[in-house]
Amino acid sequence: MWQSMLFGYALVTIPVFIVLGLVAQFTRSRLTRRAMELVLLSGVAAFAVALGTLADDAVQWVLVSMLALIFVVGVVLHVRSYSRSA
C-alpha cells in the first residue's frame, strides 16, 4: 500500500515541479527555485523507491514510461533556465 502512495506522490510532484519552475522563471525568486529543487529531489526519491515494487504490472510500466518522459522534459527545462539566468 505504501508503495502505491509513493508512486502517487511521485506523479503529483511532476506538475508541482513544472508550476514552480514556471513561477521561478517569471519571478526570478531564489526561494521558489529552491522549493522546486526540493520537490524534484523528493519526487525522484519516491519514484526510485516505488519503482522497486513495480514487478510485472503492465499499466504501471506505461505510467512509469510517461513519468520518465515528463521528468526528462522537466529536467531539461530546469537546466535551460539556469543557463539563461547566468
Side-chain angles (χ1 to χ4, degrees), residues 12-71:
V12 168
T13 59
I14 294 171
V16 173
F17 168 75
I18 292 171
V19 169
L20 284 174
L22 290 172
V23 170
Q25 185 90 17
F26 291 128
T27 64
R28 308 269 188 222
S29 170
R30 286 188 177 164
L31 181 62
T32 307
R33 187 173 295 229
R34 297 302 173 239
M36 179 183 63
E37 292 170 352
L38 181 65
V39 167
L40 174 70
L41 291 174
S42 66
V44 169
F47 178 68
V49 171
L51 187 64
T53 64
L54 296 175
D56 33 303
D57 190 12
V59 174
Q60 285 186 342
W61 278 111
V62 170
L63 289 174
V64 166
S65 301
M66 289 173 48
L67 173 64
L69 178 66
I70 293 171
F71 177 73

